[in-house]
Amino acid sequence: MKTDLAVLAERPDRAEQALTLAVNEARLGHSMQALTTLQQALNWGTDRQQLARLLMDNALPGLGRATAMARTHSASNVTSASPPRTMKRLFHGQARQQQDPPAADCLLPSDHLQLIRRSLATPLPATQRRETAHTQSGSQTRDQDRSKSAQDRPKTAAQPKISPSSARANTPKAGPQATSSVGGRAPANTSAATHPQTQPAEQNALPLFHAQLEHNGQSQPLPFYTEHPEGFQDQQAEGLSYQTPSGKPAYLVTNPSGAFDKAPGTAPFSLAPNRIYRLRAQIPCDQCQAPILWVFDYSRSGKVHKHSYPSEAGAAEVVFRTSADHHRAAFAIRIAGKGRLHPDQIQFRLSSGAEAEQRYLDSQLERTESALKKAQAKQQKQTLAQLEDFVRLQTYMGQDIILPPMHGWPISPDVGLLLIKQIAAQHYQAVVEFGSGVSTLIIARALQRTAATHKRALSPLLTFEHLDHYYAETQAHLAAAGLQGQVNFVLAPLSPYHAANGEVYPYYDVQPHLCALSRQLKSDARILVLVDGPPGSTRTQARYPALPVLLDNLVTASKFDIVMDDYFRNDERAIVHQWETLLQQRCLQFTRTEYLEFEKQACILTIQCS
């Protein structure tokens, strides 16, 4: 039996006629046609009670008990029987009291039944119900209502048909006001504040299943949606089996969109801003990776705060504080791989008050204690590593040179070893240093030993310092080590540097000295540069001028290796990114190497000038 839905579209009773047609198609085995017709009936405004009544009276007669249960649910919105089991009886004939014709055994596939049962379980918003309520004996009233509705309702064009291959993906979806679904339980009646009006963008969302949420002393259904329903299969009493694509994580979310990147237009529950909540969940799962419970807190500006906790033996708990500008919230279950959920056993308990606040304080203390332990372990490991590097440095410098302290402002021992390795591995024609100290001593010694090892001329070291007392202190260390003659040490007070970006920086007066060094070098010179000054107290991003003054004055250089110390600071990272922008503007190639494991972190920017 095949009837064009465009014909029904012109009828005033099109919703009921479409339901009758869907039942007949299902009994004749035309499963995909039945699903398409049922979808159109839902689009035309039928509600759950009307659909359930027609299926009971026309498709499977004799189910008096199921009919009574459905009518009880229609009157009070509460039923003591499990709606999913009722739906199973409707479509699978597990409680038949009369002999059905053989054609009745031609039923819809289980995955389509799952969608239909969810549609049955989901009441549509009042604005969508175009048919007036029916009573058991009110046929005359029903005819009058249809006549009136036909006069008021404008004629609509024929609805497009849904192809069998896309029927599931295009199934009209019900919003989070649903009161039961596959595997869910019968909900208690809740207020309008608990079930806000569904927005048009989300009113067709179809939940995969309903869990139970206990909140403020009331029990209510909690719908869960997914962006990938094709990965799930309802196995009735055995649960809801799933297999995520390529084993990647999938999320079951209370957002009708099935995603969590944006706030939902509505939510099945409401939370207060800046309040502490405790969410406990039971998520039974067989043969699966442990699900992870997520809470998403959305502000009116769209910002999302996330809280998560893995489940253990099916139990999970999250204690969280909503943001001050809280607008909506959503819960999610993260799953991966293969497994089986039991929706009728999934339960959530949401509470606030003194108990939640105490649990929140306990969790904060636990996190603080854990963070302190991790920080202590990291610090111990870092301290041991620095001690080892200092011993290596002292051994390299020799017995006649005593290194000054290397904690606080000076470079760390790991950076000192990095400079030695760079000088030993590369044939630098010169080294430039912005900011003096123990690094000056290490570089001078490394240049000396490398020149002696390779029997070549000593490469010049040009160092700039702007403070008198540091200049004098470094001079004394160089003299004690017998290295003062190997360093062109310049006391260069800070003077205004006008950068091309319009900023003015207090920076070393270096131009005449860099130009003089450039004249000494060949056109293919490779230069090592250490940027360890001026200090950040002079201004934000105080070390930015280092690169532009090098490029503008050391014109004979073909390659720079620029070492940025203190790379753990935001200022130094921002400077490196600004340097990269400048190099792109000048069409110069570069590579960046980061040393994030160092005590204060470091970065080498290698620039090819020619």
Side-chain angles (χ1 to χ4, degrees):
M1 181 181 296
K2 182 176 181 182
T3 302
D4 192 347
L5 292 175
V7 177
L8 295 181
E10 305 297 329
R11 298 174 62 101
D13 58 345
R14 57 182 182 177
E16 182 177 350
Q17 292 298 325
L19 284 177
T20 304
L21 175 61
V23 171
N24 292 331
E25 289 174 340
R27 294 169 65 87
L28 292 175
H30 305 311
S31 58
M32 296 310 302
Q33 295 178 21
L35 179 60
T36 302
T37 306
L38 179 57
Q39 291 168 351
Q40 191 60 68
L42 293 173
N43 286 342
W44 282 340
T46 188
D47 58 23
R48 184 190 67 251
Q49 291 80 12
Q50 181 182 4
L51 178 56
R53 181 181 299 105
L54 286 175
L55 287 174
M56 295 173 200
D57 295 341
N58 298 334
L60 299 174
L63 288 181
R65 179 185 177 188
T67 304
M69 290 165 52
R71 289 170 180 167
T72 300
H73 184 78
S74 174
S76 63
N77 201 30
V78 180
T79 176
S80 60
S82 172
R85 294 177 181 175
T86 301
M87 297 303 108
K88 292 175 186 176
R89 294 190 182 102
L90 287 177
F91 286 94
H92 291 277
Q94 295 178 355
R96 293 175 181 164
Q97 297 178 2
Q98 296 181 3
Q99 181 66 32
D100 289 334
D105 293 331
C106 302
L107 302 176
L108 294 176
S110 61
D111 55 344
H112 299 155
L113 290 177
Q114 180 181 341
L115 301 179
I116 295 173
R117 285 197 301 273
R118 294 188 216 133
S119 302
L120 286 171
T122 306
L124 296 175
T127 56
Q128 282 192 335
R129 297 179 181 174
R130 301 180 181 179
E131 303 287 344
T132 58
H134 296 268
T135 62
Q136 185 174 2
S137 60
S139 58
Q140 182 177 359
T141 303
R142 181 163 60 248
D143 294 338
Q144 294 174 355
D145 290 339
R146 288 174 185 169
S147 176
K148 180 180 179 180
S149 176
Q151 296 174 4
D152 297 338
R153 183 191 302 116
K155 294 185 178 181
T156 58
Q159 297 292 333
K161 294 186 176 181
I162 303 174
S163 63
S165 61
S166 61
R168 180 166 186 155
N170 295 327
T171 302
K173 301 181 178 181
Q177 294 180 343
T179 57
S180 64
S181 74
V182 177
R185 297 184 175 182
N189 193 15
T190 54
S191 63
T194 305
H195 291 285
Q197 180 67 30
T198 308
Q199 293 189 359
E202 297 178 345
Q203 63 189 9
N204 289 329
L206 191 64
L208 185 66
F209 65 84
H210 282 76
Q212 282 296 109
L213 172 64
E214 183 180 326
H215 183 207
N216 293 333
Q218 292 185 337
S219 181
Q220 65 184 74
L222 186 61
F224 279 88
Y225 307 81
T226 180
E227 292 183 299
H228 303 286
E230 67 278 1
F232 295 84
Q233 182 179 2
D234 182 22
Q235 296 184 337
Q236 310 303 326
E238 296 182 4
L240 186 66
S241 65
Y242 63 86
Q243 181 172 359
T244 60
S246 303
K248 296 181 179 179
Y251 290 84
L252 306 172
V253 194
T254 56
N255 287 5
S257 65
F260 53 80
D261 53 343
K262 293 182 180 179
T266 185
F269 56 88
S270 60
L271 306 181
N274 198 29
R275 180 173 295 182
I276 295 173
Y277 288 92
R278 182 185 185 187
L279 178 64
R280 287 168 286 178
Q282 291 290 336
I283 312 172
C285 183
D286 298 336
Q287 303 173 357
C288 62
Q289 300 179 23
I292 298 178
L293 176 63
W294 283 82
V295 175
F296 299 97
D297 179 9
Y298 305 93
S299 66
R300 292 189 177 275
S301 62
K303 186 177 181 180
V304 182
H305 303 274
K306 306 174 184 179
H307 313 273
S308 66
Y309 196 85
S311 63
E312 296 182 5
E317 178 179 333
V318 176
V319 184
F320 62 97
R321 181 193 294 272
T322 55
S323 58
D325 56 347
H326 169 80
H327 176 56
R328 289 275 192 270
F331 301 153
I333 301 173
R334 178 186 180 273
I335 57 177
K338 296 175 61 177
R340 183 183 296 110
L341 293 171
H342 298 277
D344 57 339
Q345 300 177 27
I346 298 179
Q347 297 183 352
F348 289 80
R349 294 183 60 189
L350 182 65
S351 60
S352 60
E355 180 185 3
E357 293 175 0
Q358 183 60 50
R359 186 67 188 92
Y360 181 78
L361 292 177
D362 293 342
S363 65
Q364 291 295 99
L365 288 175
E366 292 172 1
R367 292 181 181 180
T368 302
E369 182 180 5
S370 177
L372 287 175
K373 289 181 178 179
K374 291 181 179 179
Q376 184 180 22
K378 181 180 179 180
Q379 184 61 44
Q380 290 175 349
K381 182 178 179 180
Q382 191 65 256
T383 300
L384 180 59
Q386 294 305 310
L387 288 173
E388 293 173 345
D389 289 345
F390 183 82
V391 172
R392 294 189 183 99
L393 272 177
Q394 184 61 71
T395 302
Y396 180 87
M397 299 296 290
Q399 297 179 354
D400 298 335
I401 300 177
I402 300 178
L403 286 171
M406 297 187 69
H407 56 84
W409 291 111
I411 63 170
S412 301
D414 47 22
V415 175
L417 285 179
L418 176 64
L419 293 171
I420 291 175
K421 292 177 182 178
Q422 286 292 122
I423 293 172
Q426 308 293 337
H427 182 198
Y428 290 113
Q429 280 69 51
V431 179
V432 177
E433 183 184 22
F434 296 107
S436 69
V438 66
S439 58
T440 310
L441 196 62
I442 293 173
I443 294 173
R445 179 58 172 157
L447 290 173
Q448 183 188 59
R449 290 192 56 169
T450 301
T453 300
H454 297 281
K455 296 181 171 50
R456 61 191 180 206
L458 187 67
S459 299
L461 169 60
L462 176 59
T463 300
F464 297 98
E465 177 57 62
H466 72 287
L467 295 175
D468 292 337
H469 65 281
Y470 284 122
Y471 179 81
E473 185 178 291
T474 303
Q475 280 280 37
H477 290 313
L478 290 171
L483 299 172
Q484 70 274 21
Q486 300 184 25
V487 182
N488 182 7
F489 199 7
V490 178
L491 180 62
L494 301 182
S495 60
Y497 173 80
H498 296 268
N501 59 10
E503 297 285 338
V504 179
Y505 300 84
Y507 203 70
Y508 306 108
D509 186 9
V510 299
Q511 182 177 7
H513 305 284
L514 291 178
C515 290
L517 176 62
S518 181
R519 290 190 292 269
Q520 299 175 20
L521 302 175
K522 296 180 180 180
S523 59
D524 60 346
R526 182 168 186 171
I527 301 174
L528 176 66
V529 181
L530 174 61
V531 180
D532 197 26
S537 58
T538 58
R539 67 149 286 168
T540 58
Q541 302 179 9
R543 300 176 181 180
Y544 170 78
L547 180 59
V549 299
L550 288 169
L551 296 176
D552 295 341
N553 295 286
L554 285 177
V555 294
T556 55
S558 64
K559 198 169 191 177
F560 288 103
D561 288 333
I562 303 179
V563 179
M564 171 67 86
D565 191 26
D566 302 319
Y567 192 60
F568 74 101
R569 297 195 298 224
N570 292 334
D571 254 19
E572 275 59 32
R573 288 177 176 266
I575 290 170
V576 171
H577 287 303
Q578 289 185 11
W579 285 352
E580 292 175 346
T581 301
L582 176 62
L583 293 172
Q584 291 171 351
Q585 293 172 351
R586 298 196 182 192
C587 300
L588 296 177
Q589 296 181 352
F590 63 89
T591 58
R592 170 166 35 99
T593 305
E594 296 177 330
Y595 299 87
L596 304 182
E597 73 278 8
F598 284 8
E599 183 182 35
K600 293 185 287 185
Q601 301 185 5
C603 169
I604 295 182
L605 196 63
T606 300
I607 305 169
Q608 189 70 45
C609 298
S610 60

